Amino acid sequence: MKRNLNVLLSLLVLASLVLAACGTTPAATQAPATQAPMTEAPATEAPMTEAPVGTDTSTLIFAQAADAGTLDPAIESSANSLQVIYHIYEGLTDFEPGSTTPIPRLATSWEASEDGLEWTFHLREGVTFHDGTPFNADAVVFNFERWWDTDHPYNLGADQFIYWDYMFQGFKGSENSVLAGIEKVDDMTVKLILSKPNASLLNTLAMENFRFASPAAIEEQGEDYATASGMPVATGPFKLEEWVKEDHITLVRNEDYWGEKPTLERITYRVIPDSSAAFLALQAGEIDMLTEWASPGPDQLAQAEADPNIQVLYNPSFNVGYLGLNQAKEWLQNINVRLAIAHAIDKEGIVAALNPDNSEAAKEFQPPSLWGFNESIEDYPYDPTLAAEYLQTAIGEGVQIPDSVIFYVMPTPRIYFPQPQQLGELIQAQLAEIGLNVEIQSPAWPDPYLADLQEDGTKADIFLLGWGGDNGDPDNFLCVFFCGADTQFNNDGAGGGVAPDEEIAQLLRDAVAETDFDTRQTMYEQANQLLHDRVISVPLLHITAPTLARSNIEGYVPSPVREVLTYIVKK
Amino acid sequence: MTTYILRRLAQAIPQLFIISIILFTLMQGFGDPVATLGARTPPKAEDKERLRRMLGLDQPAYVQYLTWLVGNDWQKIDMDGDGIPETNGRRKGILRGDWSNSLVTRRPVLEMIGDRLPNTLILMGAAEIVIIIFSLALGLYSALRPYSLFDNLVTGLSFIGYSMPVFWLALMLMYIFAVNFRAWGLPYLPTVGMFDPEAGKTPAELIRHMILPVATLSIISIAGYSRFVRSSMLEVLSQDYVRTARAKGVRTVYVVLRHALPNAALPFITLIGLDIPFLLAGAIVTERIFAWPGMGRLFLDHTSRADFPVLMGILMLVSIAVVIFQIITDVVYSLVDPRIRLE
């Protein structure tokens, strides 16, 4: 009988071996590598190399915690997918590596009308998609109509194109839609018509979600477009070579790329879900880089700093973690209460205790690297005595302090709070010092934690939450919170969001409609000052996310929004 | 015998129905699948409502269960989410071979399982073979020389092996054999994955990458199972018929293999028979740490998204396997143990 079982097992194993071996099908045939001499100096600060760019045969192996869902930018919202999409696709604008400033990519220049409602983009000549389809105004119009018009044959519906809905506030026919029309002016010029001025448009267009796919490829592949059984086709410096679902994605250099060709011949994205295992793979030298999204905890960070074969590359912080104050609760409507809380929290102590290597105390709701940050603001000094005095003043004014303050602390780490539970306990202890009895509650993340805060607003008094930027515009850090979009800071008690301070909300709405950059910048600095003075909430931390790399990796430009691998040189 | 098997199979049908109802009921408490679909902020209340209608999640649980079971292709459903049913349903139901689609990836569940099952079977199958061979060998050898140095050594190591947490063992093996062996210039093993993307999916690559996960999966089981084989073997070896056989001068090897082992192995067969169906479910911790794209990871990834069609698919697959392997185990029993007759 033992033999019977063994025979059965062997058959199973054999069958699965055969099946597994058949499972690999290259997603594309590899284009013959042609010698492409370097024609122009690199536009970025990437170090010059002796080997001519575009002829190297090196492969960069980059580990992520999960596989991409699809490689269709219109659908995806996870960082793992967008990281790959960034290197295949291009849009009208792009982020300058290392910052969030929009730079020309497939548009060479643009102008906006006086009222900020009409934007004309001049397209780059001589660009073709990976399948040979020319890039022109028709391709741009096709893509925009696919995203915007739910009746377009290749629009996959509002539930799939979530980022369009989110950034452009609606689809064709909806009164909120930022886009009112798209026109082809001539073969190489398109005009976007907006329903209301939107000064963050250039930043939004730099996001991966609004990058162009080949119309011919979308028509040919239909619903399979850029899924694991389809093929993404765009204009970028890399194209897809092979995709083994849940294992790896290999990109190969686009030898026909219109711009400066990358030095790397290939980028392989490997899926390693466990961060300890990924770190060991980096130590062993099996992978070259480990993404910030899978980055190890404080212990491993110290270990990485000590390892001569590994370099820790800190990306400029692009997030904020904050202590939210729910001003729908009567006692928190008193500014002295809010000042008491602000002065009771020892941010420097928190930084030193939790993440000394990669965080800094936050004084504003946006990272310092982003324009609109107000240099002149002085953070609330940590002063428990002063805080207690503010609290006494508030009580003297008749404020009823609840016996138990409900404090929402998320149960799972987020990129802006790597150790939320410890952070929650520190804040609990610091508030206890001024006489607040804080009760920590940790409902499941994301549901019902987020729903309780963002759609209900009646559950928590104070809470931990954070934000990472989408498009590198201060509007995406400030109006998101303080224009009354959701219920976290203030609400009508029936699930509707209310701006915690109408004057600030109006300033922010005016700022996004303003087209003059300097005026906008001043408006955001002013908004940050008001947010500070009126203690609408207490910003806590900016986390600097580390990307880990082997020491032979050069030319990586740490960037706030996306890890840019295009200019890397592997020695 | 044929009648017996047919009767058991007939009994299995209501059994599986009951299992599916219980599983589906448990799924209701798994959380809201719609809450995790969406971009940065949770979907707006009206979008959630529309999505629920489109995915059929607004229906009462029993209707969802019936749709999952027998489909809805004879009735109109609300595909665009406007509250008015206008499109023909497309689900055929599991009874007609449609295992439904994932709520997250929108792909057919059967296709998703098909992608992962071979990877899991090869890993778990190899581990099970290693477990059987080593448990029998160590157990037998220990039983033949009880309380010898070897036996005590194996007993001691078993206790250590049995009490090691899987994730710790996996990472330690990786740290020693993949990281340090490489650093010391010794022959080393790869850390994670099924194969090196640059080398491709060759059998040699696969075997190299399987060694550590198979070792992780088997060390702990061998530690337990070899004790099991040892004690049942010791018990049989002290029986009268074994002594009689020895007294007649039958060679020890023959006594052990022909007379003692078949009887001693009976409980072991039950153990293995119960194990095999769970090979299909994969190993959640080991697959995650070794980045092995198998069923355990599929289950884990979709549990966190409350993707009940996928979870139901995996659990039903395992349930069916459990039922079938119980029948097979019983049949094998009757073949090796003459005292058991199947009527």
Side-chain angles (χ1 to χ4, degrees), chain A residues 26 36 51 61 100 137 243 253 261 274 277 339 349 359 383 406 434 456 475 481 548:
Chain A
I61 302 174
T100 58
W243 187 354
R253 185 169 56 217
K261 290 181 194 61
D274 186 86
L339 276 167
S359 68
D383 187 343
I406 305 298
I434 62 163
D456 179 278
D475 177 62
F481 298 116
L548 304 185

Side-chain angles (χ1 to χ4, degrees), chain B residues 61-97:
Chain B
Y62 74 93
V63 176
Q64 291 185 41
Y65 175 73
L66 287 175
T67 307
W68 177 81
L69 192 71
V70 293
N72 61 0
D73 55 353
W74 60 84
Q75 66 192 64
K76 300 273 189 204
I77 56 158
D78 179 20
M79 274 308 279
D80 55 6
D82 58 3
I84 307 155
E86 68 288 293
T87 324
N88 280 322
R90 277 189 286 185
R91 294 268 69 86
K92 285 191 161 64
I94 196 163
L95 290 183
R96 285 184 287 163

Side-chain angles (χ1 to χ4, degrees), chain A residues 362 368 435 442:
Chain A
S442 297

Side-chain angles (χ1 to χ4, degrees), chain B residues 133-158 222 226-227 230:
Chain B
I133 294 172
F134 277 85
S135 308
L136 279 175
L138 287 177
L140 274 179
Y141 198 80
S142 295
L144 292 176
R145 287 169 181 70
Y147 313 110
S148 66
L149 179 65
F150 178 84
D151 183 35
N152 285 330
L153 193 69
V154 171
T155 308
L157 288 177
S158 296
I222 291 171
S226 63
R227 297 295 84 196
R230 174 184 179 270

